[in-house]
Short mmCIF file of all heavy atoms in Angstrom, two decimals:
data_model
loop_
_atom_site.label_atom_id
_atom_site.label_comp_id
_atom_site.label_asym_id
_atom_site.label_seq_id
_atom_site.Cartn_x
_atom_site.Cartn_y
_atom_site.Cartn_z
N ASP A 107 93.90 -28.64 170.67
CA ASP A 107 95.22 -29.36 170.50
C ASP A 107 95.00 -30.77 170.62
O ASP A 107 95.94 -31.48 170.18
CB ASP A 107 96.21 -28.85 171.65
CG ASP A 107 96.75 -27.61 171.21
OD1 ASP A 107 96.69 -27.12 170.08
OD2 ASP A 107 97.20 -26.96 172.04
N SER A 108 93.87 -31.24 171.27
CA SER A 108 93.66 -32.67 171.38
C SER A 108 92.24 -32.91 171.01
O SER A 108 91.38 -32.04 170.89
CB SER A 108 93.90 -33.10 172.83
OG SER A 108 92.91 -32.55 173.65
N PHE A 109 91.91 -34.24 170.75
CA PHE A 109 90.51 -34.68 170.30
C PHE A 109 89.59 -34.14 171.55
O PHE A 109 88.49 -33.63 171.26
CB PHE A 109 90.39 -36.04 169.95
CG PHE A 109 89.15 -36.54 169.57
CD1 PHE A 109 88.49 -35.92 168.35
CD2 PHE A 109 88.43 -37.43 170.24
CE1 PHE A 109 87.37 -36.27 167.84
CE2 PHE A 109 87.12 -37.71 169.73
CZ PHE A 109 86.70 -37.28 168.57
N HIS A 110 90.17 -34.48 172.72
CA HIS A 110 89.30 -33.97 173.90
C HIS A 110 88.91 -32.55 173.80
O HIS A 110 87.83 -32.15 174.06
CB HIS A 110 90.06 -34.48 175.12
CG HIS A 110 89.28 -34.21 176.37
ND1 HIS A 110 89.62 -33.25 177.19
CD2 HIS A 110 88.16 -34.75 176.84
CE1 HIS A 110 88.81 -33.19 178.24
NE2 HIS A 110 87.93 -34.23 178.09
N GLU A 111 89.98 -31.87 173.56
CA GLU A 111 89.78 -30.27 173.58
C GLU A 111 88.80 -29.98 172.45
O GLU A 111 87.95 -29.05 172.50
CB GLU A 111 91.05 -29.58 173.45
CG GLU A 111 91.17 -28.36 174.11
CD GLU A 111 92.62 -27.71 174.00
OE1 GLU A 111 93.54 -28.34 174.59
OE2 GLU A 111 92.78 -26.76 173.29
N PHE A 112 89.14 -30.56 171.34
CA PHE A 112 88.25 -30.42 170.20
C PHE A 112 86.74 -30.63 170.39
O PHE A 112 85.90 -29.83 170.05
CB PHE A 112 88.73 -31.24 168.93
CG PHE A 112 87.73 -31.40 167.71
CD1 PHE A 112 87.68 -30.36 166.98
CD2 PHE A 112 86.96 -32.48 167.59
CE1 PHE A 112 86.72 -30.35 165.86
CE2 PHE A 112 86.03 -32.53 166.59
CZ PHE A 112 85.94 -31.49 165.62
N LEU A 113 86.49 -31.69 171.01
CA LEU A 113 85.11 -31.93 171.31
C LEU A 113 84.55 -30.97 172.17
O LEU A 113 83.30 -30.48 172.02
CB LEU A 113 85.00 -33.33 172.11
CG LEU A 113 85.22 -34.72 171.44
CD1 LEU A 113 85.07 -35.78 172.33
CD2 LEU A 113 84.13 -34.88 170.24
N HIS A 114 85.31 -30.47 173.18
CA HIS A 114 84.73 -29.40 174.04
C HIS A 114 84.55 -27.96 173.19
O HIS A 114 83.86 -27.09 173.69
CB HIS A 114 85.57 -29.17 175.12
CG HIS A 114 85.20 -30.12 176.39
ND1 HIS A 114 84.16 -30.04 177.13
CD2 HIS A 114 85.80 -31.18 176.71
CE1 HIS A 114 83.92 -31.06 177.91
NE2 HIS A 114 85.19 -31.72 177.66
N SER A 115 85.23 -27.94 172.08
CA SER A 115 85.14 -26.67 171.22
C SER A 115 83.81 -26.69 170.44
O SER A 115 83.58 -25.71 169.95
CB SER A 115 86.34 -26.44 170.41
OG SER A 115 86.21 -27.36 169.29
N GLU A 139 80.39 -33.58 179.64
CA GLU A 139 81.32 -34.68 179.93
C GLU A 139 80.87 -35.28 181.45
O GLU A 139 81.04 -34.58 182.40
CB GLU A 139 82.76 -34.26 180.05
CG GLU A 139 83.80 -35.30 180.23
CD GLU A 139 85.24 -34.87 179.66
OE1 GLU A 139 85.38 -33.76 179.26
OE2 GLU A 139 86.03 -35.76 179.70
N PRO A 142 85.21 -38.56 183.18
CA PRO A 142 86.33 -38.27 182.26
C PRO A 142 86.42 -39.17 181.04
O PRO A 142 86.28 -40.37 181.19
CB PRO A 142 87.58 -38.46 183.11
CG PRO A 142 86.97 -38.39 184.58
CD PRO A 142 85.62 -38.62 184.53
N GLY A 143 86.44 -38.45 179.77
CA GLY A 143 86.38 -39.26 178.52
C GLY A 143 85.00 -39.77 178.14
O GLY A 143 84.91 -40.51 177.05
N LEU A 145 81.37 -38.53 176.91
CA LEU A 145 80.73 -37.22 176.52
C LEU A 145 79.50 -37.55 175.87
O LEU A 145 79.30 -38.46 175.21
CB LEU A 145 81.63 -36.31 175.79
CG LEU A 145 83.06 -35.82 176.29
CD1 LEU A 145 84.04 -36.70 176.01
CD2 LEU A 145 83.28 -34.46 175.80
N TYR A 171 93.47 -36.81 164.93
CA TYR A 171 94.29 -36.51 166.14
C TYR A 171 95.02 -37.68 166.63
O TYR A 171 95.82 -37.71 167.55
CB TYR A 171 93.36 -36.03 167.30
CG TYR A 171 92.79 -34.68 167.28
CD1 TYR A 171 91.59 -34.32 166.82
CD2 TYR A 171 93.69 -33.50 167.52
CE1 TYR A 171 91.17 -32.97 166.83
CE2 TYR A 171 93.31 -32.19 167.59
CZ TYR A 171 92.12 -31.95 167.17
OH TYR A 171 91.63 -30.58 167.05
N THR A 173 93.51 -40.24 168.06
CA THR A 173 92.76 -40.72 169.34
C THR A 173 91.88 -41.95 168.97
O THR A 173 91.14 -41.90 167.84
CB THR A 173 91.90 -39.58 169.80
OG1 THR A 173 92.72 -38.48 170.12
CG2 THR A 173 91.20 -40.09 171.10
N LEU A 193 86.15 -41.69 174.84
CA LEU A 193 87.46 -41.57 174.53
C LEU A 193 88.24 -42.78 175.14
O LEU A 193 88.16 -42.88 176.32
CB LEU A 193 88.13 -40.30 174.96
CG LEU A 193 87.40 -39.06 174.52
CD1 LEU A 193 88.12 -37.74 174.70
CD2 LEU A 193 86.97 -39.22 173.08
#
Side-chain angles (χ1 to χ4, degrees):
Chain A
D107 281 344
S108 66
F109 185 60
H110 182 250
E111 213 178 296
F112 165 75
L113 285 177
H114 279 286
S115 78
E139 187 156 5
L145 297 90
Y171 281 104
T173 298
L193 306 193

